[in-house]
Amino acid sequence: MNVRTPDPYPGWLSEEDLYEARQRLPMLYVEAVPVRLDALGYITEVGLLLQATADGEFVRSFVSGRVMYRETIRAALLRHLEKDLGTLALPQLPASPIPFTVAEYFPSPSETGLTDDRQHAVAMAYLIPVTGECHPRQDALELTWMSPQDALSPQVQAEFTGGRGNLLRQALAHAGWCR
């Protein structure tokens, strides 16, 4: 069962070409952790996607996707936020597109602690405030808003794959959430 959201630009790379590129080149991605903020700009909620794997497991994830040829980082962020959260999510893109970290995924365990069985990928990771209504799309079963404490709980952290739980900890630490 294929649960991926259809690529809105199917002419970019065929599945075969993408497979070949992934075997030879690092792929560039953007990842976004959607957050809700209070009036002072402190994180009150973190939005985590719940997805089903091909094996029938349920995993937590973030908004994520490839940056296309000749696409700006800002445009890629907006495209993936709208694709994964819906057009009424109203993400607030940063004035300066500087990520909270650059995540490096490898097909096998490495010193980064991040893995992606398909490829070597480099992801620019962002905290993105969202003010609108979110309606997750095809490849996500739901978007769960939870407090930072709940998102960092051992139960939720165990639902992440590929080391993404560490990425969430980095995101919250970057925002000064250290309670």
Side-chain angles (χ1 to χ4, degrees), residues 2 4 10 12 18 20 23 28 45 72 75 77 109 125 133-134 147 149 177 179:
N2 186 355
R4 291 180 50 207
W12 185 59
L18 180 58
E20 289 298 320
Q23 302 309 304
L28 179 61
E45 294 181 302
T72 66
L77 273 169
E133 291 295 318
C134 297
S147 70
Q149 299 97 319
W177 202 94
R179 299 176 201 159

Side-chain angles (χ1 to χ4, degrees), residues 2-10 22 29-32 34 49 51 61-68 71 74-91 118 133-141 143:
N2 186 355
V3 293
R4 291 180 50 207
T5 300
D7 190 342
Y9 306 99
R22 283 178 167 156
Y29 279 72
V30 290
E31 290 191 298
L49 295 170
Q51 298 174 315
S61 191
F62 313 117
V63 171
S64 180
R66 290 190 313 269
V67 177
M68 294 176 31
E71 182 177 42
R74 185 179 296 282
L77 273 169
L78 185 59
R79 179 170 57 85
H80 289 294
L81 285 158
E82 287 183 349
K83 175 183 68 81
D84 288 353
L85 303 180
T87 57
L88 299 177
L90 304 178
R118 303 168 300 164
E133 291 295 318
C134 297
H135 301 287
R137 303 284 292 267
Q138 207 167 10
D139 54 347
L141 302 173
L143 174 71

Side-chain angles (χ1 to χ4, degrees), residues 115-178:
T115 58
D116 183 335
D117 295 340
R118 303 168 300 164
Q119 63 195 340
H120 173 192
V122 176
M124 298 173 68
Y126 297 86
L127 274 170
I128 303 291
V130 174
T131 60
E133 291 295 318
C134 297
H135 301 287
R137 303 284 292 267
Q138 207 167 10
D139 54 347
L141 302 173
E142 70 178 30
L143 174 71
T144 307
W145 289 103
M146 56 184 72
S147 70
Q149 299 97 319
D150 290 342
L152 293 174
S153 72
Q155 298 85 1
V156 173
Q157 289 291 300
E159 295 177 358
F160 285 102
T161 60
R164 286 173 180 83
N166 289 333
L167 205 56
L168 178 61
R169 283 194 287 280
Q170 286 180 4
L172 292 173
H174 176 77
W177 202 94
C178 305

Side-chain angles (χ1 to χ4, degrees), residues 6-106:
D7 190 342
Y9 306 99
W12 185 59
L13 284 176
S14 69
E15 289 296 321
E16 296 81 23
D17 289 342
L18 180 58
Y19 175 82
E20 289 298 320
R22 283 178 167 156
Q23 302 309 304
R24 292 179 169 79
L25 303 166
M27 302 300 286
L28 179 61
Y29 279 72
V30 290
E31 290 191 298
V33 179
V35 294
R36 300 259 193 221
L37 306 176
D38 66 13
L40 295 175
Y42 292 110
I43 295 173
T44 58
E45 294 181 302
V46 177
L48 300 177
L49 295 170
L50 181 67
Q51 298 174 315
T53 67
D55 301 332
E57 291 181 78
F58 294 104
V59 297
R60 294 280 175 192
S61 191
F62 313 117
V63 171
S64 180
R66 290 190 313 269
V67 177
M68 294 176 31
Y69 179 70
R70 298 194 53 81
E71 182 177 42
T72 66
I73 298 298
R74 185 179 296 282
L77 273 169
L78 185 59
R79 179 170 57 85
H80 289 294
L81 285 158
E82 287 183 349
K83 175 183 68 81
D84 288 353
L85 303 180
T87 57
L88 299 177
L90 304 178
Q92 306 298 304
L93 295 182
S96 176
I98 297 173
F100 69 83
T101 194
V102 176
E104 298 177 89
Y105 293 89
F106 291 93

